[in-house]
Amino acid sequence: MNGTQAQDFAAPRARMVAEVEAMYAETARETGLAAMSPAVRAAMGKVQRHRLLDPALAAPAYRNHPLPIGNGQTISQPYIVALSTDLLNVKPGDAVLDIGTGSGYQAAVLAEIAGRVYSIEIIPALAKEAEKRLEELGYGNIEIKIGDGYQGWPEKGPFEGIVVTAAAPSVPAALVAQLKPGGRMVIPVGGEGGMQHLELVTKRADGGYDQRRVLPVRFVPLVPGK
């Protein structure tokens, strides 16, 4: 991609960041976050979302809403990606687990801040395409595997943070087990046809966890392995 083409997406990406910032202000009462952290704002302004999508979706890539990526899946709304990353409170050097790779956009945003991102995708075609595009963008700190998100990736844990990008009917115990004490998980909880909420789970030193509803959301369901 030449400099002119890259520049063509700089303005829409800046507009997207401004729209996300405005949504933070609108939802501050529910989320407790009035603005993006500097690290998340920088990541959102840097990640080339259009290069993680089919070229046919390049034009709407920086609109602040979900987009289809095939196989019945979507790329999450940029606001939700930013909010999930902020709620995790990711720090440089952290190991983070990303459940539901999809296009790789959430993993890329996390990888701009965290030390290492481990991402799981159950649909092989999506995993392979995301891996290829993320490699082309130079993300050497993301590792992807094809597998069941409900089971996590225990060999790579424990993690400072876990973000789940599809809705589960309840918080999976296997994922809580893979959080470090004090670690956080952001996960949509609820049925496919009913009410879902983005929830923040914080693991306690005694192995239990505290759970807080953040705001209502609508996600595709987290598909269990066979």
Side-chain angles (χ1 to χ4, degrees):
M1 178 173 291
N2 62 40
T4 306
Q5 287 173 306
Q7 192 64 37
D8 287 345
F9 290 100
R13 190 157 56 244
R15 279 196 301 273
M16 178 198 78
V17 172
E19 288 172 15
V20 170
E21 194 76 86
M23 281 199 76
Y24 265 68
E26 290 167 13
T27 57
R29 183 172 294 179
E30 294 98 324
T31 66
L33 297 172
M36 276 184 281
S37 65
V40 170
R41 187 185 300 108
M44 296 297 289
K46 182 178 177 184
V47 175
Q48 298 182 58
R49 194 173 192 242
H50 65 283
R51 291 186 61 188
L52 293 167
L53 292 166
D54 187 280
L57 290 170
Y62 293 102
R63 293 175 189 165
N64 186 28
H65 57 63
L67 292 168
I69 57 172
N71 295 280
Q73 303 301 298
T74 59
I75 181 173
S76 294
Q77 179 187 17
Y79 162 73
I80 291 291
V81 171
L83 180 65
S84 297
T85 307
D86 259 330
L87 288 169
L88 280 189
N89 196 25
V90 181
K91 299 284 194 298
D94 282 358
V96 180
L97 180 63
D98 169 45
I99 305 292
T101 312
S103 66
Y105 182 58
Q106 176 74 76
V109 170
L110 290 167
E112 290 288 342
I113 307 169
R116 192 86 188 156
V117 178
Y118 299 96
S119 189
I120 302 175
E121 174 57 57
I122 200 166
I123 300 170
L126 290 180
K128 289 169 185 171
E129 191 61 47
E131 189 168 48
K132 175 172 164 284
R133 289 172 174 165
L134 288 165
E135 281 178 4
E136 288 170 354
L137 286 168
Y139 288 102
N141 62 335
I142 299 174
E143 192 173 337
I144 295 174
K145 83 163 183 173
I146 297 163
D148 181 354
Y150 280 96
Q151 304 308 314
W153 201 337
E155 300 84 359
K156 302 294 186 181
F159 305 99
E160 279 84 12
I162 299 175
V163 61
V164 184
T165 61
S170 59
V171 176
L175 298 184
V176 175
Q178 290 168 46
L179 274 176
K180 288 184 176 178
R184 296 180 172 195
M185 172 165 44
V186 176
I187 178 171
V189 176
E192 185 176 1
M195 182 66 82
Q196 298 174 359
H197 285 89
L198 195 67
E199 303 203 358
L200 175 62
V201 172
T202 306
K203 189 168 182 179
R204 299 192 304 263
D206 65 6
Y209 63 90
D210 299 315
Q211 192 170 347
R212 174 169 78 86
R213 281 187 173 180
V214 180
L215 77 173
V217 290
R218 182 177 295 171
F219 278 79
V220 297
L222 183 63
V223 179
K226 296 284 193 293

